[in-house]
Amino acid sequence: MIESSLRSAAIPVTDPEAGLRLTEIFYSLQGEALTSGLPTIFVRLTGCPLRCTYCDTEYAFTGGERQSLDAIIATIKSFPCKRICLTGGEPLAQPNAIELLKRLLSDDYEISLETAGALTVENVPSEVSKVMDLKTPSSGEARKNLWSNLDYLTAHDQIKFVIMNRTDYDWAKDKLFEHQLHNLVGTVWFSPMFNVASDINEDVGSEVPVLARELAEWMLADALPVRFQLQLHKIIWADAKGK
């Protein structure tokens, strides 16, 4: 996959002086990964080159408002928190995201970066915890996984698989052992895809997706060296924007 082919006029690529196109900044609890449950400032950038079947942030594909890095940082500093999650869309679709990360690090922020794994993470500062997806077959975008990104991951980083069915699980398990992902990064996450309103039943409970129990049982049967994850924000707020 040639990375330049993932950039187009529909993706708000900026030059170093043009700031960033921003969908929203909000303060909430982190819903996933190692800082789950902790107060966090979310900076959601606009644009994404992928169209995953399960995407829950389609509103960030287009629109947004271009702001200078100074304006974005000023908004960030208005919140009583030193923990930031840079997300999207796909934040790395805008090259100036790297400059934002560097400036925030210089202000002593603890930062995680949520990235879809289709654009290079080579230039992401090592102090940032990269939370990188590897797209499963049911996402419709597995062909865009940039496997060379594995060369730039360390124990400070995390890998996430979103599982939609048994086929995805078996694929993810194969990739886990093929690339020894559990020895490459600090944590590998297996997360069931679910919509709060539709993926529940009386047998499992009113707030637990059906697939969650199945995935948990598969992981136990195989004794995988990975961590199970439910998206906390979906359980608390469903898919509400700004949460």
Side-chain angles (χ1 to χ4, degrees), residues 8-15 17-25 43-48 59-69 71-72 86-97 100:
S8 72
I11 301 171
V13 176
T14 65
D15 65 61
E17 303 301 323
L20 290 162
R21 187 166 291 279
L22 178 74
T23 293
E24 58 187 348
I25 300 179
V43 181
R44 188 181 303 283
L45 301 185
T46 307
C48 184
Y59 65 90
F61 286 169
T62 58
E65 177 185 352
R66 190 174 299 282
Q67 295 189 25
S68 69
L69 297 187
I72 292 171
L86 184 63
T87 185
E90 169 51 68
L92 296 181
Q94 300 189 61
N96 221 16
L100 177 64

Side-chain angles (χ1 to χ4, degrees), residues 182-236:
H182 52 296
N183 295 322
L184 180 64
V185 297
T187 306
V188 178
W189 300 96
F190 277 27
S191 181
M193 194 290 296
F194 70 99
N195 298 311
V196 174
S198 61
D199 291 349
I200 57 179
N201 68 24
E202 293 180 358
D203 293 334
V204 180
S206 61
E207 296 180 347
V208 179
V210 176
L211 179 60
R213 182 170 64 181
E214 296 176 337
L215 177 57
E217 290 173 348
W218 299 336
M219 290 171 58
L220 287 169
D222 290 332
L224 293 187
V226 304
R227 293 181 69 171
F228 177 88
Q229 172 175 265
L230 282 178
Q231 293 173 298
L232 183 64
H233 53 286
K234 284 193 173 186
I235 296 171
I236 299 174

Side-chain angles (χ1 to χ4, degrees), residues 27-96:
Y27 177 56
S28 187
L29 295 181
Q30 175 59 270
E32 53 191 316
L34 287 175
T35 56
S36 178
L38 292 174
T40 302
I41 302 164
F42 292 84
V43 181
R44 188 181 303 283
L45 301 185
T46 307
C48 184
L50 276 63
R51 292 296 182 266
C52 298
T53 57
Y54 51 69
C55 182
D56 56 7
T57 52
E58 293 181 357
Y59 65 90
F61 286 169
T62 58
E65 177 185 352
R66 190 174 299 282
Q67 295 189 25
S68 69
L69 297 187
D70 287 343
I72 292 171
I73 292 172
T75 301
I76 289 170
K77 289 183 176 181
S78 70
F79 296 105
C81 184
K82 295 294 287 187
R83 187 177 300 104
I84 292 173
C85 177
L86 184 63
T87 185
E90 169 51 68
L92 296 181
Q94 300 189 61
N96 221 16

